[in-house]
Amino acid sequence: MTQRITMEDIARQSGVSLATVSLVLRDKPGINDDTRRRVLDIARDLGYRKRLNHEKLVSQSLHNAGVIVKASLGDDSPLTNPFYAPIVAGIEAACRKMHINLMYATVPVDMENHPQETPRLLSEDHLDGVLVVGAFADATITKLLQREGIPTVLVDGYSHEHIYDSVVSDNFRGAYDAVSYLISNGHRHIGIIGTTKEAYPSLAERRKGYIQALNDHGIHEQYFGDCLLTLHEGSDTTSILLQRHPQITALFCANDMMAIGATQAARALQRQIPHDVSIIGFDNIDLAQHVAPALTTMHIDKVSMGRIAVQLLANRAEYPEQAPATVSLRPRLIERQSVQRLQPPK
């Protein structure tokens, strides 16, 4: 089997950077003629496969994009996931508007969202860019992306390398605002459901926002219901936390599914929402407005996350040497019926 030639091979043989190879192969300005000719000659000699036009290896910046969406064990299809489906819808809408062909793949992840295998989509010859949705870009994937020279944007995704463009929500500020809202409604004994000390970065930021809001308001009691993000675990953890600390009057939940599980657990303990326990969620998935009582939550503009990610990818493909950029969308409060104002003691 013939070994596939990559842009990394061309860069090594040419003695130039990956970014320079990328600019040459896409027929971009800013490269002197001798360097351009040397890179093209070496690419041709090595048998690099790319679109050819009048003896030149060229391509428009972004014709074909891949989207790789995390698939947790036991989850439904990512395209029906209440958080990631709107992101993918935003990606699709932006790609249609920009006439970009879109290819899909899923990658199985562990409970910390680390990929368990390398997506085969990354080996496609005609891939001009990739969007990684909800997964951690670990060392293996990073090495492959760099070797192939594929422009990449993380969407609700993270990496230790800090070399990627990314679109995230401002999880710290959203959590801070959610807990501050509970405090403004008279709550002082506020628990948190659905994070751990070693949680995925978005959840870790929500945990930090919870702690900071309590500290800034002079509240020293903190009640942690550490658990994984499953409805069953959220319900069980809430039950344990409320029985262990009956003084809790409000819960901040790391996402809306945790909030729904917390509501079920409170009811099983004969504690009514919001009269006995107020609950606020995070994400504003569609289901949040249909549960009873309708869930107060922090809204994340998930469709915009997808649209912005495509714009970042197109920009990265056009200007591969620019500094990495992160777009952070601030969540906003959606008030419904699951939080009650406490009356001050007489």
Side-chain angles (χ1 to χ4, degrees), residues 15-140:
V16 299
S17 69
L18 270 174
T20 297
V21 173
S22 177
L23 289 171
V24 171
L25 296 184
R26 292 184 297 112
D27 199 32
K28 296 297 178 182
I31 306 297
N32 68 60
D33 290 342
D34 289 342
T35 299
R36 185 182 300 276
R37 190 178 302 108
R38 183 169 77 254
V39 169
L40 290 171
D41 287 346
I42 290 174
R44 188 173 290 105
D45 291 345
L46 291 175
Y48 182 73
R49 290 179 292 150
K50 197 73 175 176
R51 287 177 287 271
L52 296 175
N53 182 25
H54 302 300
E55 299 298 315
K56 287 185 179 182
L57 292 161
V58 302
S59 72
Q60 291 186 19
S61 297
L62 192 61
H63 274 300
N64 303 298
V67 56
I68 299 171
V69 188
K70 78 161 189 176
S72 301
L73 183 64
D75 276 2
D76 294 331
S77 164
L79 300 184
T80 61
N81 180 287
F83 185 82
Y84 292 111
I87 292 178
V88 173
I91 290 171
E92 290 175 335
C95 285
R96 282 195 300 271
K97 185 174 182 179
M98 300 170 69
H99 305 290
I100 298 169
N101 299 318
L102 191 60
M103 295 170 282
Y104 290 98
T106 60
V107 57
V109 297
D110 61 18
M111 296 306 295
E112 283 75 41
N113 290 328
H114 288 272
Q116 298 300 286
E117 62 184 47
T118 302
R120 284 181 291 179
L121 179 63
L122 296 181
S123 299
E124 291 286 341
D125 289 326
H126 52 284
L127 196 63
D128 301 316
V130 65
L131 299 154
V132 179
V133 181
F136 200 94
D138 61 10
T140 300

